[in-house]
Each structure stands twice: as C-alpha cells, then as structure tokens.
Amino acid sequence: MVNQAFHKALPLNCQIEITYRCNHLCTFCYNSPTGEREMTTPQIFEALAKVRELGVLYVTLTGGEALCHKDFFKIAVEARRLGMALRIYSNGYLLADKKMVRRVKALKPMEVEISIHGSRPESHEALTRIKGSFKKTVKALENLVAEGIKVNLKCPITNLNQNELFEIRDLGDRLGLRVTFDAVITPKDDGDQDPLALRAQDEFLDKYWGDWYSELHHGMMPPKANHCAADGSVNCGTARSGLTIDPYGNILPCVALRRKAGNILETEDLVDLWQNSPVLNGARQLSVDAREKLDHHENGPYFSYCMGVAETQTGDPLAMYPQAEINAKAVRQHYDLLQIEDPEERANSA
C-alpha cells in the first residue's frame, strides 16, 4: 500500500508545525519565525479536518516545541478523533514530568521522537543553551520507556558532540533505544548559514562513515540514498508521500522545501490543490530531476540528498552542497573498502 500510494502521490503523512514557541534556544534550529499570527486552535482543527479529507493517515505534531502550545492535548485529541494516527516531535523537556507522559500515553501515539545532543550536560546544553536540559531529556526518555511508549531517539552530529557518539549510543542502549544519528546540519529556513558553523569536521565524517559506522550501529551498514524514497525513480517523497503545514497555515511540499503552495485556511478544496498546484507538481518533478542528476554522479547511489537544503544553502534545489558530497564520497569509500558491490551494479555488469 505504501509503495502504491508513493507512486500515485497519495499523501499518507502531514507534518504540522503547530507553533514556533520553544523552551530551548538551540544554536542550529532551522525555524525562522516571521512574526505573523500563528493559527488559532480552531484553525488548526480546520487544518486537521482538511488533511484527513485528503486521505492522510497519520499526522506529526511538531514546532518549535509542540508541547509548548497551550492546547497541545486538545489538538492531539482532535487528530485522534478524526481517525489519524499520531506522531509527536519533542525536545523532551516537559516530558520529564511523569503526569505529562501519562497524558501523552493516553493519546496512543505511534511514537514520540526526541533529540539528544550529547552524552553529558556540558555538550548537550552547549547546543540547547538551557541549563538542566540534559537531565530533563534523559528523565523524559526514562519516563517514556517506563510507560511503554515507542521512542525514536535522534542525535544531530555536530563538532561539539562528534567525539561522544559511542557514549550517546550507550546511553540509548541502556534505555533499550537505538539512536539515529544525522550527519547533516542545515541552514535556517530563511537562508541564514550560521548553523553550518556547527557541522562535524570533514575528517571526522570520513571516520564516521568508515571505521566507526558499523561498530557504532551494531553491525549495520551505512544507508544508501534517502530514507523516504520508495524506489530509485525519484530522490525523495517531497509533495508525494506527505506535506507540511507551518504555524501560519502555509502548505509546503515538505519540511525542508519551504515553497508555499497555498494556505490551508484559504483552501476550500485541498484535494484539488494537492493534484493541480504548480508548486507541488513542480516539487514532484524536481525530485525526478534530482534523481536523474545523481544517477550521473560518480557517487550517485550513495547520496542522501535534500533538495530543500540545496535550495536554502545554494539557491538552487538541484545544486550540490558540501554536506551531501562529503557524506556520499565517504559512504562509497566505506563500501569500496569492504568490497561490497550493489546487487544492481552486479546485474548491470553481468
């Protein structure tokens, strides 16, 4: 069903940024609030009803910090009432409160995604800039696990935590959680490049994708291509497997490609917009074009390439940007050193 929906561009997921408010001050946050009026709770309810009519099966509530919205639980309950499954993105700070976690459990979420930025307070809080946030995040993870809630634990790799990855992994292991590391730091949505100063060092990335990767990930091999691409025909699922709605109600192809296709509050027929919007159809074609371009690159099969990052960082959604090139080259070298050949390449060379 998932592959069929992907090919027909039937959206299964909608990510809704319900607020830009946050209780952290993360130095690499990509959010770029403009000062416009955020959607009211009734307007978010309207947005939820419209995406459900579109056929969306699960909604992701994020921010900012989603739990900072004064009506977070009302919004989450409404999503569930409409029959959609629920995913929550959070920094975990408020989930150090067991009562809060029990309220989350009552929502029966698919999962709660939490980010951790270090194995100790000094590194984690250098990024969040909130004293005590490390202890709160760890407590949140303990509370969620104790309540049997599925947790996706993520760690963006920066030059402040790059030497703590094994300790971060071990922290996850102690809680029975697999840590997903992300080796790409992105610019802000408004094009501000300052977060890139926190990128992991190039020499480290060679080591990460090479000597460290399998050991760090309990024997797993580095991934090839984007996780949201169902097959090799497109680069990713932007405007295909899902959509994003920002706090102002703007409809975007995905969380990274911030091209406004319309506003959910001004859109009477979301199905028509989804099928006929020049912005959304253009994003779908870009994904095809990006895949074709990567297929002609020497490291093409090894790219985790994001058109949104490319556009924000270079002004061109099909341009190469350093993070993608460095990572793809390092992943390829890892496979070459292990003398592992892609099955498709074997078939083509036979």
Side-chain angles (χ1 to χ4, degrees):
M1 182 185 77
V2 173
N3 285 342
Q4 186 177 21
F6 188 91
H7 287 295
K8 293 183 177 181
L10 302 176
L12 301 180
N13 170 50
C14 179
Q15 182 164 312
I16 304 182
E17 300 167 336
I18 61 175
T19 183
Y20 277 138
R21 299 183 189 91
C22 191
N23 47 16
H24 281 183
L25 299 167
C26 295
T27 48
F28 55 75
C29 180
Y30 58 77
N31 287 162
S32 299
T34 63
E36 298 172 65
R37 184 171 178 267
E38 294 187 351
M39 288 188 290
T40 63
T41 298
Q43 288 172 333
I44 294 174
F45 281 13
E46 179 184 340
L48 288 169
K50 288 178 178 178
V51 299
R52 185 66 188 98
E53 290 175 4
L54 183 61
V56 163
L57 298 182
Y58 68 96
V59 65
T60 302
L61 297 183
T62 183
E65 169 54 38
L67 288 164
C68 281
H69 194 291
K70 65 182 181 64
D71 288 331
F72 168 81
F73 285 100
K74 289 181 180 179
I75 294 165
V77 166
E78 178 66 5
R80 299 292 286 123
R81 187 191 70 79
L82 289 168
M84 291 182 286
L86 178 67
R87 175 183 284 153
I88 302 166
Y89 288 176
S90 174
N91 57 39
Y93 193 86
L94 296 175
L95 296 173
D97 181 344
K98 291 182 179 180
K99 292 181 181 178
M100 181 75 82
V101 172
R102 285 194 285 270
R103 293 184 71 186
V104 168
K105 183 179 181 180
L107 298 170
K108 299 181 179 178
M110 293 171 56
E111 69 177 11
V112 176
E113 187 168 292
I114 305 283
S115 293
I116 193 162
H117 305 291
S119 64
R120 52 198 177 88
E122 293 81 3
S123 49
H124 181 89
E125 293 167 14
L127 290 161
T128 66
R129 295 190 288 183
I130 298 294
K131 187 173 177 59
S133 58
F134 177 77
K135 183 177 180 180
K136 292 262 192 179
T137 298
V138 173
K139 183 62 177 175
L141 295 170
E142 293 171 348
N143 290 343
L144 290 164
V145 169
E147 291 292 344
I149 299 171
K150 182 182 178 183
V151 178
N152 180 18
L153 182 56
K154 297 196 311 181
C155 176
I157 302 175
T158 68
N159 53 39
L160 298 180
N161 65 22
Q162 64 185 29
N163 294 317
E164 298 179 22
L165 301 192
F166 283 96
E167 290 79 8
I168 294 170
R169 181 206 62 184
D170 292 345
L171 187 157
D173 285 350
R174 288 195 295 272
L175 293 167
L177 302 174
R178 181 175 67 87
V179 182
T180 300
F181 293 99
D182 186 352
V184 176
I185 298 297
T186 68
K188 289 182 176 292
D189 289 338
D190 63 4
D192 185 339
Q193 308 280 311
D194 286 353
L196 300 181
L198 288 166
R199 283 175 47 201
Q201 297 164 351
D202 293 351
E203 312 82 62
F204 164 82
L205 290 171
D206 286 337
K207 183 166 57 177
Y208 170 74
W209 292 114
D211 297 339
W212 280 20
Y213 194 91
S214 292
E215 183 180 354
L216 186 63
H217 295 82
H218 300 299
M220 293 176 59
M221 295 295 294
K224 293 183 181 179
N226 288 338
H227 68 279
C228 62
D231 60 25
S233 64
V234 297
N235 178 65
C236 64
T238 185
R240 189 177 296 273
S241 58
L243 67 156
T244 293
I245 300 174
D246 76 10
Y248 312 128
N250 295 317
I251 300 166
L252 313 170
C254 72
V255 69
L257 192 63
R258 312 287 291 196
R259 295 183 172 189
K260 181 179 176 180
N263 189 285
I264 193 71
L265 304 178
E266 301 167 356
T267 302
E268 293 299 325
D269 189 342
L270 186 56
V271 173
D272 179 68
L273 182 138
W274 178 258
Q275 294 173 345
N276 299 307
S277 162
V279 171
L280 297 178
N281 283 327
R284 293 174 192 126
Q285 183 58 47
L286 275 175
S287 191
V288 174
D289 296 343
R291 185 64 262 167
E292 290 179 351
K293 180 173 182 177
L294 293 175
D295 286 343
H296 290 90
H297 193 286
E298 61 177 342
N299 298 320
Y302 306 92
F303 268 94
S304 287
Y305 180 86
C306 177
M307 300 181 300
V309 174
E311 182 162 77
T312 305
Q313 193 162 330
T314 72
D316 181 352
L318 298 178
M320 286 297 166
Y321 54 99
Q323 304 97 301
E325 289 196 286
I326 291 166
N327 289 337
K329 181 179 178 181
V331 171
R332 177 171 187 161
Q333 288 175 340
H334 180 80
Y335 276 89
D336 287 348
L337 286 172
L338 292 175
Q339 297 182 333
I340 293 179
E341 188 179 28
D342 188 291
E344 291 185 2
E345 293 177 349
R346 280 203 304 270
N348 291 336
S349 62

